[in-house]
């Protein structure tokens, strides 16, 4: 296997691809909304000055705050990623 932690037969399953896409889409939107709500609650307009005019560096990754952990949880629960 090219990627040892992944089993070859399960990664080719189209159901896993569709479920993962839906899960990451939904959790990405919620990650964006949650990060925006945190900023409103703490009255922070920009989370940094590294990327001027774009709300800061954290705004580039706000959807990943929830999506990446949920994606890993899905891969482990679906027995696709063996860790």
């Amino acid at each position: 296997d090219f990627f040892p932690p992944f089993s070859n037969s399960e990664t080719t399953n189209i159901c896993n691809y569709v479920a993962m896409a839906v899960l990451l889409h939904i959790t990405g939107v919620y990650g964006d909304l949650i990060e925006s709500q945190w900023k409103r609650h703490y009255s922070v307009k920009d989370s940094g000055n590294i990327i001027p005019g774009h709300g800061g560096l954290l705004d580039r990754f706000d959807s990943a705050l929830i999506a990446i952990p949920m994606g890993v949880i899905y891969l482990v629960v679906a027995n696709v990623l063996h860790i």
Side-chain angles (χ1 to χ4, degrees):
D1 288 346
F2 185 72
F3 296 107
F6 295 96
S7 66
N8 216 4
S9 64
E10 292 177 81
T11 56
T12 57
N13 188 352
I14 192 71
C15 292
N16 280 334
Y17 291 142
V18 171
M20 186 79 162
V22 169
L23 177 71
L24 292 180
H25 174 74
I26 292 169
T27 56
V29 170
Y30 277 108
D32 187 26
L33 293 173
I34 289 169
E35 197 268 340
S36 295
Q37 189 173 18
W38 285 343
K39 285 173 55 179
R40 284 189 193 102
H41 177 74
Y42 291 107
S43 300
V44 177
K45 182 177 179 340
D46 293 332
S47 56
N49 295 325
I50 294 175
I51 307 173
H54 288 273
L57 189 61
L58 187 58
D59 280 348
R60 302 295 103 201
F61 302 103
D62 53 2
S63 62
L65 290 174
I66 306 293
I68 290 174
M70 288 304 294
V72 171
I73 290 170
Y74 173 80
L75 290 174
V76 171
V77 169
N79 205 24
V80 175
L81 179 65
H82 306 287
I83 56 173

